[in-house]
Amino acid sequence: MPELMPAARTARESIFSVMSRLAAQHGAVNLGQGFPADPPPAFLLEAARGAVGHFDQYSPPAGLPALREALGADLHVNPQDIVVTCGATEALAALALSLYGPGDEVLMLEPVYDVYLPQARLAGATPVTVPMTLDDGGWAVDVNAVQAAVTGRTRALLLNTPHNPTGKVLSAAEQRDLVALARQHDLWIISDEVYDELSFTDEPVGLRSLAPERTFTVGSAGKRLEATGWRVGWVACPAGLAPQVVGVRQLASFCAPTPLQVAGAQALPRARQEGFYAQLREKYRVRKEWMVSGLRALGVTVHEPQGTYFLTAQHPAWDALSLVREGVAVIPGEAFYDQHDCPPGLFRVAFCKSQEDLEEALARLSRLA
Ligand code: PMP
Ligand code: GLN
């Protein structure tokens, strides 16, 4: 038999799938994989029920025109510059294949979201990570270290704000400095902003407004509307570049699910008009505060997040594999590190779970503290 290619031979089950599997096996409360316990809003479900049976065939690879229009209005972007994808994951994969290749380096920050490294490698490029710093003030970006990592081969800066797993929101100054650096070295910017509506700070989210000529902004209806299984995402491209990205992404999935795009086109404007995102933020702000103080009361060092529905924490005696056996699944910090050392005892907690689950998890953890 011929051999499989290295990408397939070295592929591993994602840490999120691993921890969900272990959680089920051990009857653990699953604070690992980041999917919400609450159902999507009724107006999204109604829209989808109305679409299935009526819009069931292929749609254009760039996305359903009505959804591109809705996203254009929401993001203040020309609809022609938007490409709808099967989740943000496909958007990131299409950008990796579109923006870099063999001989190129891609800069990203560690801790790093799991797909960024293998996607860069699948494109033939070399991912280079710069560690975020961590002190009493929380997570920060050392822009000088990013600058020092730029070489003649660097093609792109892959950023994520609000950031998974840390919940860090890039400050306006960090954004300005990173954009200046990208301009100075003529780099593309990929800005993964899937948690754009989940920032608890006043810092602006949206690197595109600072450098529209070079920024690709990635978003996700799954994250915004609590429907991670629907697989509808998007990328807002610099003017004129969407057709090329469409040319690449059509080879993987051709189009995103048509009825769910119809539902998204109806639901995204309603979510904005009816204050859904403000409610979402408030819901998760309350759960965050509750979880942060609950963990701190157990002696855990918690790095309070500024956004997302994740937090990072450290405990010298806990590791994710022991915790899941004790009935609480989290994601080990090491899963987000590749080229630098993970801070000791780091783990990620997803608090997009029910209040009962959060309480049960804290009760189980209190027996170990
Ligand atoms: N980027 C980040 C930072 C994420 O956390 C996630 C999912 N949790 C994704 C991309 C993928 O989003 P989607 O489910 O829309 O593919
Ligand atoms: N992004 C989600 C998380 O960080 C998981 C995504 C996935 O399982 N593919 O937990």
Side-chain angles (χ1 to χ4, degrees):
M1 293 289 264
E3 273 208 336
L4 293 175
M5 294 306 286
R9 287 205 306 272
T10 59
R12 297 277 174 275
E13 187 182 9
S14 113
I15 188 65
F16 308 116
S17 310
V18 170
M19 293 315 299
S20 283
R21 183 166 48 72
L22 289 176
Q25 200 175 314
H26 293 282
V29 178
N30 191 354
L31 308 188
Q33 195 173 24
F35 58 88
D38 290 338
F43 58 78
L44 179 69
L45 298 177
E46 276 160 32
R49 286 190 193 105
V52 173
H54 299 281
F55 299 93
D56 304 299
Q57 310 307 333
Y58 296 125
S59 42
L64 201 73
L67 179 55
R68 296 175 84 198
E69 292 287 337
L71 284 167
D74 191 278
L75 301 168
H76 308 292
V77 169
N78 181 344
Q80 297 301 319
D81 296 332
I82 288 173
V83 182
V84 179
T85 53
C86 288
T89 305
E90 195 198 10
L92 290 161
L95 290 176
L97 294 171
S98 302
L99 301 186
Y100 28 85
D104 294 334
E105 293 172 1
V106 188
L107 279 181
M108 44 189 95
L109 300 171
E110 253 178 19
V112 66
Y113 181 60
D114 73 329
V115 299
Y116 296 174
L117 296 157
Q119 285 180 342
R121 291 184 181 125
L122 270 178
T126 304
V128 175
T129 67
V130 176
M132 286 166 69
T133 59
L134 181 58
D135 58 24
D136 291 346
W139 295 94
V141 178
D142 179 350
V143 180
N144 290 330
V146 180
Q147 170 86 45
V150 175
T151 72
R153 293 166 176 262
T154 311
R155 291 279 285 199
L157 199 51
L158 173 40
L159 300 170
N160 171 211
T161 184
H163 182 259
N164 179 5
T166 65
K168 154 92 182 156
V169 175
L170 288 177
S171 69
E174 285 167 331
Q175 293 184 36
R176 191 194 55 224
D177 293 349
L178 289 165
V179 164
L181 186 151
R183 281 227 170 86
Q184 184 191 343
H185 298 281
D186 196 21
L187 310 178
W188 295 118
I189 298 173
I190 300 174
S191 190
D192 179 346
E193 298 175 10
V194 297
Y195 302 103
D196 57 354
E197 293 298 337
L198 268 186
S199 169
F200 311 122
T201 73
D202 294 332
E203 298 289 352
V205 173
L207 270 98
R208 196 174 195 281
S209 62
L210 301 179
E213 80 287 357
R214 64 186 64 246
T215 304
F216 294 82
T217 303
V218 172
S220 170
K223 299 290 169 191
R224 279 192 175 193
L225 299 173
E226 310 243 80
T228 59
W230 283 33
R231 316 310 303 137
V232 177
W234 58 82
V235 47
C237 304
L241 298 186
Q244 288 89 320
V245 176
V246 172
V248 172
R249 66 80 49 159
Q250 68 179 343
L251 305 176
S253 65
F254 192 73
C255 64
T258 305
L260 303 185
Q261 290 189 69
V262 172
Q266 291 170 24
L268 285 164
R270 277 193 71 171
R272 178 78 58 210
Q273 284 148 22
E274 296 177 14
F276 174 76
Y277 299 130
Q279 288 165 27
L280 194 72
R281 253 191 311 280
E282 182 55 15
K283 175 175 85 175
Y284 287 129
R285 194 190 59 73
V286 169
R287 288 186 204 181
K288 170 195 63 125
E289 308 240 305
W290 198 83
M291 206 58 197
V292 168
S293 53
L295 285 168
R296 283 185 177 153
L298 299 181
V300 178
T301 303
V302 182
H303 310 297
E304 186 160 354
Q306 300 164 308
T308 76
Y309 38 53
F310 304 114
L311 63 82
T312 46
Q314 286 172 277
H315 189 293
W318 290 358
D319 71 273
L321 282 182
S322 318
L323 290 187
V324 72
R325 282 190 223 107
E326 299 292 342
V328 181
V330 297
I331 304 292
E334 290 81 7
F336 303 100
Y337 280 86
D338 180 64
Q339 298 168 13
H340 298 276
D341 289 337
C342 176
L346 188 81
F347 58 96
R348 186 193 82 176
V349 171
F351 52 83
C352 48
K353 308 299 177 180
S354 68
Q355 184 66 23
E356 300 75 64
D357 272 359
L358 297 182
E359 279 172 28
E360 179 61 26
L362 280 183
R364 292 181 185 188
L365 290 174
S366 71
R367 295 201 278 271
L368 305 173

